Amino acid sequence: MSSSDVPTYKRILLKISGEVLMGEQGFGIDMNTVKAVAEEVAEVAGMGVELCLVIGGGNIFRGLSKAAVGMERSSADYMGMLATVMNALAMQNALEKLGVSTRVQSAIQMNAVCEPFVHRRAQRHLEKGRVVIFAAGLGAPYFTTDTAAALRAAEMRCDALFKGTSVDGVYTADPKKDATATRYDSLDYMEVLSKDLRVMDASAVSLMRENGIPIVVFSIREPGGLRKVITGQGVHTVISGQA
């Protein structure tokens, strides 16, 4: 391994939005996209990085979506949590086909398909080189998977929270809608909150600030993007205590 391929972080939590797993579809899980993301994760795991994942459920169901209009919020949110379990199982299957030992831990007990979330057991899995996928959010309504990712990153004592999106960092505006939008190389936690940049929920950003864990925003769609960013290369935005 050359010096340029030495990981900057030893342990990370990778947060992926459910929409990423749709690929070019308008709904559901595109297994080719899942396989591509799994290959990115497998490559980094092979470098000795300890990885845990949180995957959203927006490709299947989101509690605040139009599909949930008229539903009681708690019921809608629980449906969204079940969607994250489906995504987690799809990712586990893809990773294990690549030879990566993987465990899914759910905040809602469903022992027939995955483990319940147990902090010490998750720590042990990571120490043994297994990828751990945290599913079902926090197991409670009114909390997003961003907040779940931030809490799990703090609980697992991760060196950074990686947010894999469809764009290569944080911009002044949505680059898909505004051609004049410019990308930030770095930001302070408070800048993200005061400018309402909406990279993650305010509660998630605040939790990362309190625990001094940087947030690294990059494009998960770029081939080799995760490896590049974790070695300090590639295009990305770092949110930390010092912009």
Side-chain angles (χ1 to χ4, degrees):
M1 186 183 295
S2 67
S3 59
S4 62
D5 287 329
V6 175
T8 307
Y9 306 97
K10 173 63 178 173
R11 177 182 292 184
I12 68 165
L13 186 142
L14 174 62
K15 167 63 167 66
I16 305 170
S17 67
E19 285 85 348
V20 167
L21 301 189
M22 291 192 304
E24 299 304 317
Q25 301 175 166
F27 176 83
I29 303 172
D30 175 34
M31 290 310 298
N32 287 329
T33 301
V34 174
K35 180 175 180 289
V37 174
E39 288 171 347
E40 298 276 319
V41 173
E43 182 180 22
V44 170
M47 297 165 65
V49 177
E50 296 175 355
L51 275 154
C52 41
L53 279 68
V54 169
I55 307 172
N59 55 319
I60 300 171
F61 191 88
R62 183 192 297 276
L64 292 175
S65 66
K66 291 180 180 178
V69 171
M71 288 189 67
E72 197 270 327
R73 173 68 187 271
S74 294
S75 297
D77 281 355
Y78 279 118
M79 289 177 67
M81 290 177 220
L82 296 178
T84 72
V85 176
M86 294 171 68
N87 285 337
L89 293 174
M91 184 60 67
Q92 180 186 38
N93 177 73
L95 284 167
E96 291 188 335
K97 281 186 176 180
L98 296 171
V100 180
S101 183
T102 309
R103 298 289 187 273
V104 175
Q105 290 199 345
S106 169
I108 298 174
Q109 287 203 14
M110 45 186 78
N111 297 336
V113 294
C114 54
E115 298 179 2
F117 170 70
V118 178
H119 176 265
R120 290 184 182 275
R121 185 183 294 175
Q123 286 277 11
R124 190 65 179 144
H125 286 325
L126 291 174
E127 290 164 2
K128 285 179 172 287
R130 298 167 183 151
V131 171
V132 181
I133 307 175
F134 298 116
L138 295 178
Y142 297 94
F143 292 98
T144 68
T145 50
D146 278 350
T147 303
L151 180 58
R152 297 293 183 240
E155 288 179 306
M156 294 298 110
R157 300 193 297 274
C158 292
D159 299 318
L161 190 161
F162 276 50
K163 177 79 182 281
T165 69
S166 299
V167 292
D168 56 2
V170 182
Y171 283 75
T172 52
D174 187 343
K176 296 177 181 178
K177 299 177 181 178
D178 186 349
T180 64
T182 57
R183 185 181 58 81
Y184 295 100
D185 287 324
S186 61
L187 282 163
D188 183 272
Y189 301 111
M190 292 307 296
E191 283 186 275
V192 174
L193 296 172
S194 64
K195 294 179 180 178
D196 195 24
L197 293 174
R198 302 190 181 185
V199 183
M200 300 184 81
D201 289 345
S203 56
V205 176
S206 296
L207 189 56
M208 294 295 88
R209 175 174 174 264
E210 289 169 11
N211 288 276
I213 299 174
I215 303 168
V216 181
V217 185
F218 72 106
S219 173
I220 193 68
R221 293 183 184 274
E222 181 190 349
L226 180 58
R227 177 186 57 78
K228 291 176 184 175
V229 175
I230 208 165
T231 55
Q233 307 170 64
V235 181
H236 59 281
T237 300
V238 178
I239 303 167
S240 64
Q242 294 181 342

